[in-house]
């Protein structure tokens, strides 16, 4: 069964660092198991440049970390799906807790972003924590929910090194699938090479922040998909 490894660089890296990362990562991809699918989510300005290199690499797709909740139009500073045409973006991380916390995104805005993504054939990866799972799913239609991948991201586990035990994650995966339907669920929160296999055993993949910043570290995580 395919496992999704989503790399979220957040707002790290310069363009030259991003390109150097990709050329190191590319060397490791020949060792990746066929059941691993990697989604690289760099900052917006690097998308077109990285997309050219990525188009020649099997099993690695491009994603974004956010999207405008509006269609193309008079929305200064927003990145619409029209702006992304030609970049080969296949996925969008939406409603990440950092977007909710620092940019005050609401459940309805996240739902509007999901709508924009689906209209552009971009797969939404909707981030949820247990406490607002019901509120977030209530803002989405049944059809929208069934078209999503859900990333379960317990707030206290993100960027802290305090990853949630896999048996607890498995319980929340069940709750998510009760609310969203039988959608793929991935886990995010201090995923690293020494704990990823626990999560691959109980869900459909992982969302990796800090451990995706070094190409070799992420490559080692992807290789573990072959041992599940
Ligand atoms: P982390 O980030 O792996 O650094 O905890 C995960 C995330 O923010 O999704």
């Amino acid at each position: 069964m395919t496992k999704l490894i989503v790399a979220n660089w957040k707002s790290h890296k310069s363009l030259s660092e991003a390109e150097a990362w990709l050329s190191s990562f590319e060397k490791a991809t020949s060792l990746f198991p066929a059941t691993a699918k990697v989604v690289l989510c760099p900052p917006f300005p690097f998308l077109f440049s990285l997309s050219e290199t990525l188009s020649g690499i099997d099993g690695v797709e491009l994603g974004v970390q956010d999207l405008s909740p509006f269609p193309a139009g008079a929305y200064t500073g927003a990145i619409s799906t029209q702006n992304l045409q030609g970049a080969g973006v296949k996925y969008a991380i939406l409603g990440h807790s950092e977007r909710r916390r620092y940019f005050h995104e609401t459940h309805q805005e996240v739902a509007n972003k999901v709508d924009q993504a689906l209209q552009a054939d971009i797969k939404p990866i909707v981030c949820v924590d247990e406490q607002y799972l019901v509120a977030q799913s209530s803002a989405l239609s049944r059809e929208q929910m069934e078209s999503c991948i859900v990333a379960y991201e317990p707030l206290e586990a993100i960027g802290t090194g305090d990853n949630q035990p896999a048996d607890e994650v498995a319980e929340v995966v069940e709750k998510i699938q009760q609310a969203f339907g039988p959608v793929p669920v991935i886990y995010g929160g201090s995923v690293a090479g020494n704990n990823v296999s626990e999560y691959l055993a109980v869900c459909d993949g992982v969302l990796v922040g800090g451990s995706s910043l070094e190409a070799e570290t992420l490559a080692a995580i992807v290789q573990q998909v072959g041992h599940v």
Side-chain angles (χ1 to χ4, degrees), residues 20-21 23-25 28 211-223:
W21 185 101
S23 79
S24 307
F25 192 70
S211 294
S212 72
L213 294 175
E214 297 291 337
E216 295 74 14
T217 312
L218 186 70
I221 287 175
V222 179
Q223 281 174 35

Side-chain angles (χ1 to χ4, degrees), residues 8 10 96-98 153 157-161 188-191 207-211:
N8 177 11
K10 309 193 178 183
H96 190 283
S97 60
E98 288 153 14
E153 298 231 312
I158 298 175
T160 56
S190 298
V191 171
L207 200 161
V208 189
S211 294

Side-chain angles (χ1 to χ4, degrees), residues 173-187:
V173 169
E174 256 181 54
K175 286 188 195 162
I176 290 172
Q177 290 179 328
Q178 276 160 17
F180 277 74
V183 295
V185 180
I186 64 176
Y187 166 79

Side-chain angles (χ1 to χ4, degrees), residues 126-140:
V126 178
C127 301
V128 299
D129 193 354
E130 203 178 348
Q131 73 217 21
Y132 57 79
L133 171 61
V134 172
Q136 182 63 77
S137 60
S138 308
L140 294 162

Side-chain angles (χ1 to χ4, degrees), residues 1-126:
M1 193 177 160
T2 304
K3 298 287 179 184
L4 204 61
I5 310 291
V6 182
N8 177 11
W9 285 357
K10 309 193 178 183
S11 65
H12 292 283
K13 295 192 189 299
S14 63
L15 178 58
S16 60
E17 286 169 347
E19 287 172 342
W21 185 101
L22 190 52
S23 79
S24 307
F25 192 70
E26 189 177 3
K27 294 188 189 103
T29 53
S30 61
L31 301 170
F32 289 174
T35 47
K37 185 186 275 186
V38 180
V39 179
L40 177 61
C41 302
F44 284 117
F46 309 154
L47 286 171
F48 284 88
S49 157
L50 298 185
S51 145
E52 260 182 53
T53 315
L54 274 177
S55 61
I57 309 177
D58 278 346
V60 185
E61 307 276 11
L62 207 51
V64 288
Q65 301 170 18
D66 186 30
L67 270 183
S68 175
F70 301 109
Y75 303 102
T76 300
I79 309 282
S80 71
T81 54
Q82 187 184 51
N83 303 148
L84 301 175
Q85 277 172 22
V89 170
K90 300 270 169 45
Y91 296 84
I93 299 172
L94 299 176
H96 190 283
S97 60
E98 288 153 14
R99 300 286 322 165
R100 296 174 192 269
R101 180 169 173 195
Y102 300 117
F103 302 90
H104 314 295
E105 275 182 15
T106 63
H107 302 313
Q108 187 54 52
E109 275 166 335
V110 177
N112 295 347
K113 291 175 183 204
V114 168
D115 192 36
Q116 289 301 311
L118 290 174
Q119 284 185 43
D121 237 352
I122 293 173
K123 189 83 176 166
I125 302 172
V126 178

